[in-house]
């Protein structure tokens, strides 16, 4: 069995050892009003703005979006398999199902509500989730570099087999965090409210606070096969 190793630091450490995400500045420049009819698979969109879109389905499989701003987007389902998004803002989204396996995200900011977000085997570079409510996030076998979750609520975050470097969770609640077979480097969990962790033996490379260690003690004890009982009274 692999050894469980994670860094424990105070939440108010003067100088933290963990490196923080390096989020790029999103500069969209001058945007043109986008034509919703152009939101089709394999499309190429550049410097376009869409406001308050309400769709049954958003079909953008294998599309390329560069410098695109969605300000208000509601769709029962969004299909982004194989899609590439660069310098994009997805604000005030409401998408119950977002299918984006093997997609590429670079310099993207996301806010709003997403139910099932499936993006396994994807590449995420400089991504900021802000104030998001997420039910199930599947990032299995994905490559995460410079990713931040701020003021988010996540029922389940699946990072199984993922490579995560400079990932930070701030004021974020997570029901279940799955890190089985994941490789973590500079993953800052100090700002997360963690309820359950799957794959404790793969936490090496994560940073937590002493209070979090105390709260997770029953999970560590169970993982190590320890029985916990009060000492007998004299």
């Amino acid at each position: 069995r692999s050894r469980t190793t994670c860094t424990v630091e105070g939440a108010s450490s003067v100088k933290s050892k963990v490196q923080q995400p390096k989020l790029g500045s999103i500069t969209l420049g001058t945007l043109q009003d986008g034509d919703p009819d152009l939101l089709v698979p394999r499309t190429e969109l550049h410097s376009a703005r869409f406001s308050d879109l309400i769709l049954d389905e958003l079909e953008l499989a294998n599309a390329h979006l560069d410098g695109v701003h969605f300000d208000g987007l509601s769709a029962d389902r969004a299909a982004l398999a194989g899609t590439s998004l660069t310098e994009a803002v997805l604000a005030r989204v409401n998408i119950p199902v977002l299918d984006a396996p093997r997609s590429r995200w670079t310099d993207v900011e996301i806010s709003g509500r997403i139910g099932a977000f499936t993006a396994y085997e994807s590449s995420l570079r400089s991504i900021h989730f802000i104030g998001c409510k997420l039910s199930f996030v599947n990032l299995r076998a994905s490559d995460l570099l410079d990713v931040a979750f701020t003021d988010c609520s996540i029922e389940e975050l699946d990072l199984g087999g993922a490579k995560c470097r400079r990932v930070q969770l701030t004021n974020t609640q997570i029901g279940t965090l799955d890190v089985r077979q994941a490789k973590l480097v500079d993953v800052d969990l100090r700002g997360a409210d963690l309820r359950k962790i799957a794959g404790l033996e793969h936490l090496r490379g994560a940073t937590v606070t002493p209070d979090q260690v105390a709260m997770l003690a029953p999970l560590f004890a169970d993982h190590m096969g320890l029985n916990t009982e009060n000492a007998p009274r004299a």
Side-chain angles (χ1 to χ4, degrees), residues 173-209:
Q173 297 179 344
I174 299 181
T176 299
L177 173 64
D178 191 338
V179 292
R180 286 175 289 191
Q181 304 301 323
K183 295 182 179 180
L184 312 180
V185 178
D186 290 315
V187 174
D188 192 347
L189 301 176
R190 291 174 297 171
D193 179 3
L194 302 169
R195 306 296 175 84
K196 180 180 179 181
I197 298 178
L200 285 169
E201 65 271 26
H202 298 285
L203 273 179
R204 183 184 182 93
T207 300
V208 297
T209 68

Side-chain angles (χ1 to χ4, degrees), residues 79-233:
L80 279 71
T83 296
S84 174
L85 294 92
T86 304
E87 291 269 358
V89 175
L90 283 67
R92 299 190 297 117
V93 301
N94 183 9
I95 305 174
V97 179
L98 199 166
D99 289 324
R102 302 182 183 90
S103 53
R104 297 169 301 282
W105 306 64
T106 305
D107 293 324
V108 180
E109 183 178 295
I110 306 171
S111 63
R113 180 188 295 266
I114 300 175
F117 180 21
T118 303
Y120 57 82
E121 298 178 9
S122 296
S123 171
L124 284 76
R125 297 283 190 277
S126 184
I127 310 301
H128 198 180
F129 294 85
I130 305 174
C132 289
K133 185 174 179 59
L134 303 147
S135 295
F136 174 62
V137 180
N138 180 354
L139 296 175
R140 295 184 66 84
S142 290
D143 192 354
L144 284 70
L145 174 63
D146 297 320
V147 176
F149 294 86
T150 303
D151 300 328
C152 294
S153 174
I154 308 171
E155 293 182 17
E156 183 173 353
L157 176 57
D158 189 346
L159 297 175
K163 296 179 181 178
C164 305
R165 182 182 177 194
R166 294 198 297 265
V167 176
Q168 182 181 40
L169 292 91
T170 303
N171 192 31
T172 292
Q173 297 179 344
I174 299 181
T176 299
L177 173 64
D178 191 338
V179 292
R180 286 175 289 191
Q181 304 301 323
K183 295 182 179 180
L184 312 180
V185 178
D186 290 315
V187 174
D188 192 347
L189 301 176
R190 291 174 297 171
D193 179 3
L194 302 169
R195 306 296 175 84
K196 180 180 179 181
I197 298 178
L200 285 169
E201 65 271 26
H202 298 285
L203 273 179
R204 183 184 182 93
T207 300
V208 297
T209 68
D211 287 343
Q212 286 174 315
V213 171
M215 292 180 63
L216 295 172
L219 294 179
F220 284 108
D222 182 67
H223 173 71
M224 297 175 66
L226 298 176
N227 294 322
T228 55
E229 295 183 8
N230 293 325
R233 296 181 179 180

Side-chain angles (χ1 to χ4, degrees), residues 11-32:
S12 59
S13 298
V14 175
K15 185 176 182 180
S16 175
K17 299 177 182 178
V18 62
Q19 294 188 43
Q20 305 304 310
K22 299 177 181 179
L23 300 175
S25 176
I26 300 177
T27 305
L28 297 178
T30 302
L31 303 179
Q32 303 295 324

